[in-house]
Amino acid sequence: MTVAQKLRGRWGVPAVSGLLIAGSAAIATVFGAGFASNAVMVAAAVAAGSPIAVHAVRALAARVVGIDLLVTVASVGAVVIGQYWEAAAVTFLFAVGHALEQATLNRTRSALAELVAVAPDVAVVLREGGQIEVAAADVAMGETVVVKNGAKVPVDGEVVAGAGAVDQASITGESIPVEKAVGDQVFAGTVSRGGVLQVRATGVGADTTLARIIHRVEEAQDAKARTQRFMDRFSRWYTPGIVVLAVAAGAVTGDVVLALTLLVIGCPGAMVISIPVSIVAGIGRAAKDGILIKGGEHLERAAKITAVAVDKTGTLTRGRPLLTDVVVLATGADRAAVLRWAALAEAGSEHPLARPVLDAARAEGLPVGQLPEVAESIPGKGITATSGGHRVLVGNVALLSQFGIADALGSDRVADELAAAGRTPMIVAVDGVVLGVLAVADEVRPDAAEMVAELHRAGVRTVVMLTGDALPVALAVGEATGVDEVRAGLLPQDKHDAVRELQREGYVVAMVGDGVNDAPALAVADLGVAMGAAGSAVALETADIALMADDLRKLPQAIRLARRTVATMRQNIAVALVTVALLLLGVLLGGVTMSVGMLVHEVSVLVVILNAMRLLRRRARSSAAPGTAAVGPHHGAERVAEPALL
C-alpha cells in the first residue's frame, strides 16, 4: 500500500491532523507561540474535525443528536474562545478513536472475510469429452467438475467417481479432513487434501451452502441485540441530556470552558462501541467454529438457556438401525445359521429393519444376494419366505402362533428381555423349528453422552429427551446418554406442549431437532437449533442457531460462547459508564481538561475494543473420555411397541 493510499484510508485524517499538531508545536518551540503556531493548530483541528462535522450535520438531518455533534460544538467553541490546543487535541483523539473502531470491527468481521476468501474462483468441468477450466460461477447444475489434490471444490455436489479426503473446516469447523467416496456430499469452498474426485453439481453460485452461510453471517453481524437496541434508545435521551447539562453549567457558572468540557466528557464513545464490537466478535468466533448464530438477539438468548429439549432419532441417535444381538436357541444351530436364514428371508423385504440384518450378514461373509422364491410380509407380525423348499419365518410371537409353531425354547422370553433393553427382537424359525432371536437397535451417537455432560457444565439445569418412540426404547437411550428426563410416545403436538410446559416452569428452552415432526417444538422454543445443517437451505433459513457439522458437542460450545459474549458486553458497558461518571465528577470538581477528558475517553474505547477481541480466541473445550455410547450393552432400539414389524 502506497503512502497516498494510506492517507486516503481510515488513518489518513488522524495522520494529517497529528502532523499539523506536531508542526504547530515545532513552530512554537522555535519561534515562540503566536499567530503562525496557532494557525497551524487550528488547521489541525479543521483537518480532524471536518469529517466529524459532516457526520454531525447528516445525523441532525435525520433528527439524531449524536456524539459527532457534541465534539463538533465543543471544538468550534474551543477555537472561538482561543483554546486552539484543546480543539485540535479533541478532534485528533476522536479521529484516532474512530479509526481504531473501524479497524477493530474489520478485525472482528474476519470470519466473514475468511469465508469470502475461501470461495472458489475457477472450476475444471468435464465438457465435450475433455477437461475445461471455467469460472466457478459458470458451472451449470448437473455438470461434472473434477477436483484434484489441493484444489478448492467449486460447487455443492455429489461424488460420482473417485475417492479422497476433503478439508471441510470452512463449512463445518471440523479440523480433520473427511474421507469422500461415491455418493458422498461435498461443499463449495472446501479443499481436497488427497485423491481426485468427480463431482456432479447440485448447487452453484449463490445456491451453494457457502454462499448461504456468508449471507447469513453478514446479516447476523449487522443484526442488533436486545441490549444494543436498549442502548440506542438510551443514547437518544442521554446525548441531549449532556447538551442540556453543559448549557446549564455554563449559564450558572458563566464558565464557557466548563460547558465545552462537559460536552466532550459526556461523549459515550465506549458505550456506543461496547455492544456491537462484542456481538460481531462473538458471531465471528462462532462462524469459525462451524456454529451459525442468526443474530445478536439469538446470541443473547442462547446465553440464558437453562433447559435443552432434544429429539432422539437422528439427534441423540444416528437414525440408522444396526444388528446388536444374535441369540442361538436351537441345538445344533450356530450364529451364522441363524443370521443366514434371516438374511435370506429379509432379502425379499422392503422394511427398514431388513437392511441392518442384510448388512450384518454381508459383513460376516454370508451370502445375501439370493432372493427367496416367495416372500410375503405379514403386517404387524413379520415376514415369511420360501427358498429351496424351506419355509423361513422372521417376526414376533404372533407370527409363530399364526403358523402353529410351538415355542418350546423360550423365544418369547428372550424377545421380551431384548425389548425391555430397548431393542427390536425378531424370532427366526425354519421349517417349524425356532433357531434363535435377532435384535436390531438404533446407534446412539458417540458424542451424545459427552454433549449432555458438557451442557450441564455450561450451566444448563435440565436436558429432556422428547421422542415418539416407545418408553423402553426411550429409557434405554436416556440411560446411555445421561439425560435428566425422558418423555416418550409423543406426537409433534405433544413435543410442542412439552416445550411449553418447561417454559411455564420457568425454563428458557432450546429445542434441538432435525425432522418435520420437530417443527412445532422448534417454533415455540426460545431458541431453535438445527444440527448437521451444512447443505440444508431450510435449516439455515429457519433455525436460530445452526450447527454446521453433525457434532452435538457444538451445542454446549455455542452456549458457552454466548455467555462469554454477554459477559463481555456487560463488562464493556460498565467500563463506559464508570469512565463517563468519573470524568464528569472530575470536571465538576476541577482538574480534568477537555483534552485530558478526550484522552481518557479514547483509552476507555481501546479497553472496550481489546476486551471484545478476546472473544476471537478459541478456548479449549472441556472434554470427556471419548467413546461410543450405546443403549444397554449395545445400542438403542428404534421401535419396540410392535417388535419385528417386518
Side-chain angles (χ1 to χ4, degrees), residues 201-257:
T202 58
V204 297
D207 193 38
T208 63
T209 299
L210 177 62
R212 289 192 292 268
I213 292 173
I214 291 173
H215 175 64
R216 279 302 175 190
V217 172
E218 188 174 33
E219 284 188 339
Q221 291 188 331
D222 288 335
K224 292 185 177 182
R226 183 175 304 172
T227 305
Q228 187 176 352
R229 292 197 298 271
F230 168 78
M231 294 302 294
D232 288 344
R233 291 193 299 270
F234 173 78
S235 65
R236 282 201 294 270
W237 291 96
Y238 172 85
T239 306
I242 290 295
V243 174
V244 172
L245 175 64
V247 171
V252 171
T253 64
D255 189 344
V256 177
V257 174

Short mmCIF file of all heavy atoms in Angstrom, two decimals, residues 201-257:
data_model
loop_
_atom_site.label_atom_id
_atom_site.label_comp_id
_atom_site.label_asym_id
_atom_site.label_seq_id
_atom_site.Cartn_x
_atom_site.Cartn_y
_atom_site.Cartn_z
N ALA A 201 -22.63 -31.36 -9.94
CA ALA A 201 -23.07 -30.13 -9.30
C ALA A 201 -24.55 -30.18 -8.94
O ALA A 201 -25.40 -30.40 -9.80
CB ALA A 201 -22.79 -28.94 -10.20
N THR A 202 -24.84 -29.97 -7.67
CA THR A 202 -26.24 -29.86 -7.22
C THR A 202 -26.54 -28.46 -6.67
O THR A 202 -27.68 -28.15 -6.37
CB THR A 202 -26.53 -30.90 -6.12
OG1 THR A 202 -25.63 -30.69 -5.01
CG2 THR A 202 -26.35 -32.31 -6.64
N GLY A 203 -25.50 -27.64 -6.52
CA GLY A 203 -25.67 -26.26 -6.08
C GLY A 203 -24.53 -25.42 -6.62
O GLY A 203 -23.36 -25.77 -6.46
N VAL A 204 -24.86 -24.34 -7.30
CA VAL A 204 -23.83 -23.49 -7.91
C VAL A 204 -24.11 -22.03 -7.55
O VAL A 204 -25.24 -21.65 -7.22
CB VAL A 204 -23.80 -23.65 -9.45
CG1 VAL A 204 -23.43 -25.07 -9.84
CG2 VAL A 204 -25.14 -23.27 -10.07
N GLY A 205 -23.03 -21.20 -7.62
CA GLY A 205 -23.19 -19.77 -7.40
C GLY A 205 -23.78 -19.44 -6.05
O GLY A 205 -23.33 -19.91 -5.00
N ALA A 206 -24.83 -18.63 -6.05
CA ALA A 206 -25.48 -18.19 -4.81
C ALA A 206 -26.29 -19.30 -4.15
O ALA A 206 -26.78 -19.12 -3.03
CB ALA A 206 -26.38 -16.99 -5.09
N ASP A 207 -26.42 -20.44 -4.82
CA ASP A 207 -27.22 -21.55 -4.29
C ASP A 207 -26.37 -22.55 -3.52
O ASP A 207 -26.85 -23.61 -3.14
CB ASP A 207 -27.95 -22.26 -5.44
CG ASP A 207 -29.04 -23.20 -4.92
OD1 ASP A 207 -29.71 -22.83 -3.93
OD2 ASP A 207 -29.22 -24.28 -5.51
N THR A 208 -25.09 -22.23 -3.27
CA THR A 208 -24.24 -23.15 -2.52
C THR A 208 -24.37 -22.90 -1.03
O THR A 208 -24.79 -21.83 -0.58
CB THR A 208 -22.76 -22.99 -2.92
OG1 THR A 208 -22.33 -21.67 -2.56
CG2 THR A 208 -22.57 -23.20 -4.41
N THR A 209 -23.98 -23.90 -0.24
CA THR A 209 -24.01 -23.76 1.21
C THR A 209 -23.12 -22.61 1.66
O THR A 209 -23.49 -21.83 2.54
CB THR A 209 -23.53 -25.08 1.86
OG1 THR A 209 -24.42 -26.12 1.49
CG2 THR A 209 -23.51 -24.96 3.38
N LEU A 210 -21.93 -22.49 1.05
CA LEU A 210 -21.00 -21.42 1.42
C LEU A 210 -21.63 -20.05 1.20
O LEU A 210 -21.53 -19.16 2.05
CB LEU A 210 -19.70 -21.55 0.62
CG LEU A 210 -18.67 -20.44 0.85
CD1 LEU A 210 -18.21 -20.44 2.30
CD2 LEU A 210 -17.48 -20.61 -0.09
N ALA A 211 -22.28 -19.86 0.06
CA ALA A 211 -22.91 -18.57 -0.24
C ALA A 211 -24.00 -18.25 0.77
O ALA A 211 -24.15 -17.10 1.22
CB ALA A 211 -23.48 -18.58 -1.66
N ARG A 212 -24.78 -19.27 1.14
CA ARG A 212 -25.84 -19.04 2.12
C ARG A 212 -25.27 -18.70 3.49
O ARG A 212 -25.79 -17.85 4.22
CB ARG A 212 -26.76 -20.27 2.21
CG ARG A 212 -27.63 -20.47 0.98
CD ARG A 212 -28.72 -21.51 1.25
NE ARG A 212 -28.18 -22.84 1.41
CZ ARG A 212 -28.04 -23.72 0.42
NH1 ARG A 212 -28.40 -23.40 -0.81
NH2 ARG A 212 -27.55 -24.92 0.65
N ILE A 213 -24.16 -19.36 3.85
CA ILE A 213 -23.52 -19.06 5.15
C ILE A 213 -23.00 -17.64 5.16
O ILE A 213 -23.19 -16.89 6.13
CB ILE A 213 -22.38 -20.06 5.42
CG1 ILE A 213 -22.94 -21.47 5.65
CG2 ILE A 213 -21.57 -19.62 6.64
CD1 ILE A 213 -21.88 -22.53 5.76
N ILE A 214 -22.32 -17.22 4.09
CA ILE A 214 -21.79 -15.86 4.01
C ILE A 214 -22.93 -14.85 4.17
O ILE A 214 -22.81 -13.87 4.92
CB ILE A 214 -21.06 -15.64 2.67
CG1 ILE A 214 -19.76 -16.46 2.64
CG2 ILE A 214 -20.76 -14.16 2.45
CD1 ILE A 214 -19.05 -16.44 1.31
N HIS A 215 -24.03 -15.10 3.48
CA HIS A 215 -25.17 -14.19 3.55
C HIS A 215 -25.72 -14.12 4.97
O HIS A 215 -26.01 -13.03 5.49
CB HIS A 215 -26.26 -14.68 2.59
CG HIS A 215 -27.53 -13.90 2.65
ND1 HIS A 215 -27.62 -12.57 2.31
CD2 HIS A 215 -28.78 -14.27 3.05
CE1 HIS A 215 -28.85 -12.15 2.49
NE2 HIS A 215 -29.58 -13.16 2.93
N ARG A 216 -25.83 -15.27 5.62
CA ARG A 216 -26.40 -15.31 6.96
C ARG A 216 -25.46 -14.68 8.00
O ARG A 216 -25.90 -13.99 8.92
CB ARG A 216 -26.74 -16.75 7.35
CG ARG A 216 -28.07 -17.22 6.77
CD ARG A 216 -29.17 -16.30 7.21
NE ARG A 216 -30.45 -16.63 6.59
CZ ARG A 216 -31.52 -15.88 6.65
NH1 ARG A 216 -31.46 -14.73 7.29
NH2 ARG A 216 -32.64 -16.23 6.08
N VAL A 217 -24.16 -14.93 7.89
CA VAL A 217 -23.21 -14.33 8.83
C VAL A 217 -23.21 -12.81 8.67
O VAL A 217 -23.17 -12.07 9.66
CB VAL A 217 -21.79 -14.91 8.62
CG1 VAL A 217 -20.77 -14.15 9.45
CG2 VAL A 217 -21.75 -16.38 8.99
N GLU A 218 -23.27 -12.35 7.45
CA GLU A 218 -23.31 -10.91 7.19
C GLU A 218 -24.55 -10.30 7.83
O GLU A 218 -24.47 -9.25 8.50
CB GLU A 218 -23.32 -10.67 5.68
CG GLU A 218 -23.16 -9.21 5.29
CD GLU A 218 -23.02 -9.05 3.79
OE1 GLU A 218 -23.63 -9.85 3.04
OE2 GLU A 218 -22.31 -8.14 3.36
N GLU A 219 -25.69 -10.92 7.65
CA GLU A 219 -26.92 -10.41 8.26
C GLU A 219 -26.85 -10.48 9.79
O GLU A 219 -27.28 -9.55 10.48
CB GLU A 219 -28.12 -11.24 7.79
CG GLU A 219 -28.59 -10.93 6.38
CD GLU A 219 -29.89 -11.64 6.06
OE1 GLU A 219 -30.20 -12.64 6.75
OE2 GLU A 219 -30.60 -11.20 5.14
N ALA A 220 -26.30 -11.57 10.29
CA ALA A 220 -26.25 -11.76 11.74
C ALA A 220 -25.37 -10.72 12.41
O ALA A 220 -25.70 -10.19 13.48
CB ALA A 220 -25.74 -13.17 12.07
N GLN A 221 -24.23 -10.40 11.80
CA GLN A 221 -23.32 -9.43 12.40
C GLN A 221 -23.88 -8.02 12.37
O GLN A 221 -23.49 -7.17 13.15
CB GLN A 221 -21.95 -9.49 11.71
CG GLN A 221 -21.20 -10.78 11.99
CD GLN A 221 -19.78 -10.76 11.47
OE1 GLN A 221 -19.48 -10.10 10.48
NE2 GLN A 221 -18.91 -11.49 12.11
N ASP A 222 -24.81 -7.76 11.46
CA ASP A 222 -25.44 -6.45 11.39
C ASP A 222 -26.70 -6.35 12.25
O ASP A 222 -27.18 -5.26 12.54
CB ASP A 222 -25.80 -6.10 9.94
CG ASP A 222 -24.56 -5.80 9.11
OD1 ASP A 222 -23.55 -5.40 9.71
OD2 ASP A 222 -24.60 -5.98 7.88
N ALA A 223 -27.25 -7.51 12.63
CA ALA A 223 -28.48 -7.52 13.42
C ALA A 223 -28.19 -7.06 14.85
O ALA A 223 -27.18 -7.42 15.44
CB ALA A 223 -29.09 -8.92 13.43
N LYS A 224 -29.07 -6.26 15.41
CA LYS A 224 -28.87 -5.71 16.74
C LYS A 224 -29.44 -6.64 17.81
O LYS A 224 -30.51 -7.21 17.64
CB LYS A 224 -29.51 -4.33 16.86
CG LYS A 224 -28.83 -3.26 16.02
CD LYS A 224 -29.43 -1.89 16.28
CE LYS A 224 -28.68 -0.82 15.48
NZ LYS A 224 -29.21 0.54 15.74
N ALA A 225 -28.70 -6.73 18.90
CA ALA A 225 -29.19 -7.48 20.05
C ALA A 225 -30.16 -6.61 20.84
O ALA A 225 -30.22 -5.40 20.66
CB ALA A 225 -28.01 -7.90 20.93
N ARG A 226 -30.90 -7.26 21.75
CA ARG A 226 -31.87 -6.52 22.55
C ARG A 226 -31.16 -5.45 23.40
O ARG A 226 -31.63 -4.32 23.52
CB ARG A 226 -32.61 -7.50 23.45
CG ARG A 226 -33.71 -6.88 24.29
CD ARG A 226 -34.46 -7.95 25.05
NE ARG A 226 -35.01 -8.96 24.16
CZ ARG A 226 -35.58 -10.09 24.59
NH1 ARG A 226 -35.66 -10.35 25.87
NH2 ARG A 226 -36.05 -10.97 23.73
N THR A 227 -30.01 -5.80 23.98
CA THR A 227 -29.26 -4.83 24.78
C THR A 227 -28.80 -3.66 23.93
O THR A 227 -28.82 -2.51 24.37
CB THR A 227 -28.04 -5.52 25.42
OG1 THR A 227 -28.48 -6.64 26.18
CG2 THR A 227 -27.30 -4.56 26.33
N GLN A 228 -28.39 -3.96 22.69
CA GLN A 228 -27.93 -2.88 21.82
C GLN A 228 -29.09 -1.95 21.47
O GLN A 228 -28.92 -0.72 21.41
CB GLN A 228 -27.32 -3.45 20.54
CG GLN A 228 -26.68 -2.39 19.66
CD GLN A 228 -26.00 -2.99 18.44
OE1 GLN A 228 -25.88 -4.21 18.33
NE2 GLN A 228 -25.57 -2.14 17.54
N ARG A 229 -30.27 -2.51 21.25
CA ARG A 229 -31.42 -1.66 20.95
C ARG A 229 -31.76 -0.77 22.15
O ARG A 229 -32.13 0.39 22.00
CB ARG A 229 -32.62 -2.51 20.55
CG ARG A 229 -32.44 -3.22 19.21
CD ARG A 229 -33.78 -3.70 18.67
NE ARG A 229 -34.41 -4.67 19.54
CZ ARG A 229 -34.22 -5.98 19.47
NH1 ARG A 229 -33.42 -6.47 18.53
NH2 ARG A 229 -34.85 -6.80 20.29
N PHE A 230 -31.62 -1.34 23.36
CA PHE A 230 -31.85 -0.54 24.56
C PHE A 230 -30.84 0.60 24.65
O PHE A 230 -31.19 1.74 24.98
CB PHE A 230 -31.76 -1.43 25.81
CG PHE A 230 -31.70 -0.65 27.09
CD1 PHE A 230 -32.85 -0.09 27.63
CD2 PHE A 230 -30.49 -0.45 27.75
CE1 PHE A 230 -32.80 0.65 28.80
CE2 PHE A 230 -30.43 0.28 28.92
CZ PHE A 230 -31.59 0.83 29.45
N MET A 231 -29.58 0.30 24.36
CA MET A 231 -28.55 1.33 24.42
C MET A 231 -28.79 2.41 23.38
O MET A 231 -28.50 3.59 23.61
CB MET A 231 -27.16 0.70 24.23
CG MET A 231 -26.75 -0.24 25.35
SD MET A 231 -26.74 0.53 26.98
CE MET A 231 -25.41 1.69 26.78
N ASP A 232 -29.30 2.03 22.23
CA ASP A 232 -29.64 3.03 21.21
C ASP A 232 -30.73 3.98 21.72
O ASP A 232 -30.65 5.20 21.53
CB ASP A 232 -30.12 2.34 19.92
CG ASP A 232 -28.99 1.67 19.18
OD1 ASP A 232 -27.82 1.97 19.48
OD2 ASP A 232 -29.27 0.83 18.30
N ARG A 233 -31.75 3.41 22.36
CA ARG A 233 -32.82 4.25 22.93
C ARG A 233 -32.27 5.13 24.06
O ARG A 233 -32.62 6.30 24.18
CB ARG A 233 -33.96 3.37 23.45
CG ARG A 233 -34.75 2.66 22.36
CD ARG A 233 -36.05 2.08 22.91
NE ARG A 233 -35.83 1.11 23.95
CZ ARG A 233 -35.66 -0.19 23.75
NH1 ARG A 233 -35.69 -0.67 22.51
NH2 ARG A 233 -35.47 -1.02 24.75
N PHE A 234 -31.38 4.55 24.86
CA PHE A 234 -30.77 5.30 25.96
C PHE A 234 -29.97 6.48 25.43
O PHE A 234 -30.05 7.60 25.97
CB PHE A 234 -29.87 4.35 26.77
CG PHE A 234 -29.05 5.04 27.82
CD1 PHE A 234 -29.63 5.44 29.02
CD2 PHE A 234 -27.70 5.29 27.61
CE1 PHE A 234 -28.87 6.06 30.00
CE2 PHE A 234 -26.94 5.93 28.58
CZ PHE A 234 -27.52 6.31 29.78
N SER A 235 -29.18 6.25 24.37
CA SER A 235 -28.34 7.33 23.84
C SER A 235 -29.16 8.45 23.23
O SER A 235 -28.72 9.61 23.20
CB SER A 235 -27.35 6.77 22.80
OG SER A 235 -28.05 6.29 21.67
N ARG A 236 -30.38 8.15 22.75
CA ARG A 236 -31.22 9.19 22.18
C ARG A 236 -31.65 10.21 23.25
O ARG A 236 -31.92 11.36 22.95
CB ARG A 236 -32.45 8.57 21.50
CG ARG A 236 -32.14 7.97 20.15
CD ARG A 236 -33.41 7.84 19.31
NE ARG A 236 -34.37 6.89 19.86
CZ ARG A 236 -34.39 5.60 19.56
NH1 ARG A 236 -33.50 5.11 18.70
NH2 ARG A 236 -35.28 4.79 20.09
N TRP A 237 -31.73 9.73 24.50
CA TRP A 237 -32.04 10.63 25.61
C TRP A 237 -30.76 11.15 26.29
O TRP A 237 -30.73 12.29 26.77
CB TRP A 237 -32.90 9.91 26.65
CG TRP A 237 -34.28 9.61 26.15
CD1 TRP A 237 -34.72 8.45 25.60
CD2 TRP A 237 -35.39 10.51 26.14
NE1 TRP A 237 -36.03 8.55 25.24
CE2 TRP A 237 -36.48 9.81 25.56
CE3 TRP A 237 -35.58 11.83 26.55
CZ2 TRP A 237 -37.73 10.40 25.40
CZ3 TRP A 237 -36.82 12.41 26.40
CH2 TRP A 237 -37.88 11.70 25.83
N TYR A 238 -29.75 10.29 26.32
CA TYR A 238 -28.52 10.64 27.03
C TYR A 238 -27.81 11.82 26.38
O TYR A 238 -27.41 12.78 27.07
CB TYR A 238 -27.59 9.42 27.07
CG TYR A 238 -26.21 9.70 27.62
CD1 TYR A 238 -25.97 9.66 28.98
CD2 TYR A 238 -25.15 10.00 26.77
CE1 TYR A 238 -24.71 9.93 29.50
CE2 TYR A 238 -23.88 10.27 27.27
CZ TYR A 238 -23.67 10.23 28.63
OH TYR A 238 -22.42 10.50 29.13
N THR A 239 -27.63 11.79 25.06
CA THR A 239 -26.87 12.84 24.38
C THR A 239 -27.52 14.21 24.52
O THR A 239 -26.83 15.18 24.89
CB THR A 239 -26.68 12.47 22.89
OG1 THR A 239 -26.09 11.16 22.81
CG2 THR A 239 -25.78 13.47 22.20
N PRO A 240 -28.84 14.36 24.26
CA PRO A 240 -29.45 15.68 24.52
C PRO A 240 -29.34 16.08 25.99
O PRO A 240 -29.22 17.27 26.31
CB PRO A 240 -30.91 15.47 24.12
CG PRO A 240 -30.89 14.34 23.16
CD PRO A 240 -29.80 13.45 23.65
N GLY A 241 -29.36 15.09 26.89
CA GLY A 241 -29.22 15.39 28.32
C GLY A 241 -27.88 16.02 28.63
O GLY A 241 -27.78 16.95 29.45
N ILE A 242 -26.81 15.51 27.97
CA ILE A 242 -25.48 16.09 28.17
C ILE A 242 -25.45 17.53 27.66
O ILE A 242 -24.84 18.42 28.27
CB ILE A 242 -24.43 15.22 27.45
CG1 ILE A 242 -24.27 13.88 28.18
CG2 ILE A 242 -23.09 15.95 27.38
CD1 ILE A 242 -23.72 14.00 29.58
N VAL A 243 -26.11 17.77 26.52
CA VAL A 243 -26.16 19.14 25.97
C VAL A 243 -26.84 20.07 26.96
O VAL A 243 -26.36 21.19 27.25
CB VAL A 243 -26.90 19.15 24.62
CG1 VAL A 243 -27.08 20.58 24.13
CG2 VAL A 243 -26.13 18.33 23.58
N VAL A 244 -27.97 19.64 27.52
CA VAL A 244 -28.69 20.45 28.50
C VAL A 244 -27.82 20.70 29.74
O VAL A 244 -27.76 21.82 30.27
CB VAL A 244 -30.02 19.77 28.89
CG1 VAL A 244 -30.68 20.50 30.06
CG2 VAL A 244 -30.95 19.71 27.69
N LEU A 245 -27.13 19.64 30.20
CA LEU A 245 -26.25 19.77 31.36
C LEU A 245 -25.15 20.79 31.10
O LEU A 245 -24.84 21.64 31.97
CB LEU A 245 -25.64 18.41 31.71
CG LEU A 245 -24.59 18.42 32.84
CD1 LEU A 245 -25.24 18.85 34.17
CD2 LEU A 245 -23.95 17.03 32.99
N ALA A 246 -24.54 20.73 29.93
CA ALA A 246 -23.45 21.65 29.59
C ALA A 246 -23.95 23.09 29.53
O ALA A 246 -23.31 24.01 30.06
CB ALA A 246 -22.82 21.25 28.26
N VAL A 247 -25.10 23.30 28.89
CA VAL A 247 -25.66 24.65 28.79
C VAL A 247 -26.00 25.18 30.18
O VAL A 247 -25.72 26.35 30.52
CB VAL A 247 -26.91 24.65 27.88
CG1 VAL A 247 -27.63 26.00 27.95
CG2 VAL A 247 -26.52 24.33 26.45
N ALA A 248 -26.59 24.32 31.00
CA ALA A 248 -26.97 24.75 32.36
C ALA A 248 -25.73 25.09 33.18
O ALA A 248 -25.71 26.10 33.90
CB ALA A 248 -27.77 23.64 33.04
N ALA A 249 -24.70 24.26 33.07
CA ALA A 249 -23.46 24.51 33.83
C ALA A 249 -22.81 25.81 33.39
O ALA A 249 -22.33 26.60 34.21
CB ALA A 249 -22.49 23.34 33.64
N GLY A 250 -22.81 26.06 32.06
CA GLY A 250 -22.23 27.30 31.56
C GLY A 250 -23.03 28.51 32.00
O GLY A 250 -22.46 29.56 32.34
N ALA A 251 -24.38 28.38 32.00
CA ALA A 251 -25.23 29.51 32.38
C ALA A 251 -25.09 29.84 33.87
O ALA A 251 -25.05 31.01 34.26
CB ALA A 251 -26.68 29.19 32.04
N VAL A 252 -24.99 28.79 34.71
CA VAL A 252 -24.90 29.00 36.15
C VAL A 252 -23.54 29.56 36.56
O VAL A 252 -23.44 30.48 37.38
CB VAL A 252 -25.20 27.69 36.90
CG1 VAL A 252 -24.89 27.84 38.39
CG2 VAL A 252 -26.64 27.28 36.71
N THR A 253 -22.47 29.01 35.97
CA THR A 253 -21.12 29.41 36.38
C THR A 253 -20.55 30.53 35.53
O THR A 253 -19.57 31.17 35.93
CB THR A 253 -20.17 28.19 36.29
OG1 THR A 253 -20.07 27.78 34.91
CG2 THR A 253 -20.67 27.05 37.15
N GLY A 254 -21.10 30.72 34.33
CA GLY A 254 -20.53 31.70 33.41
C GLY A 254 -19.22 31.23 32.82
O GLY A 254 -18.48 32.01 32.20
N ASP A 255 -18.90 29.95 32.98
CA ASP A 255 -17.64 29.38 32.50
C ASP A 255 -17.90 28.61 31.21
O ASP A 255 -18.41 27.48 31.23
CB ASP A 255 -17.06 28.46 33.57
CG ASP A 255 -15.64 28.01 33.25
OD1 ASP A 255 -15.22 28.15 32.09
OD2 ASP A 255 -14.96 27.52 34.18
N VAL A 256 -17.54 29.24 30.07
CA VAL A 256 -17.76 28.60 28.78
C VAL A 256 -16.87 27.36 28.62
O VAL A 256 -17.29 26.35 28.05
CB VAL A 256 -17.48 29.60 27.63
CG1 VAL A 256 -17.64 28.92 26.28
CG2 VAL A 256 -18.40 30.79 27.74
N VAL A 257 -15.65 27.45 29.13
CA VAL A 257 -14.72 26.31 29.04
C VAL A 257 -15.31 25.09 29.76
O VAL A 257 -15.23 23.96 29.27
CB VAL A 257 -13.34 26.67 29.62
CG1 VAL A 257 -12.44 25.44 29.65
CG2 VAL A 257 -12.70 27.78 28.82
#
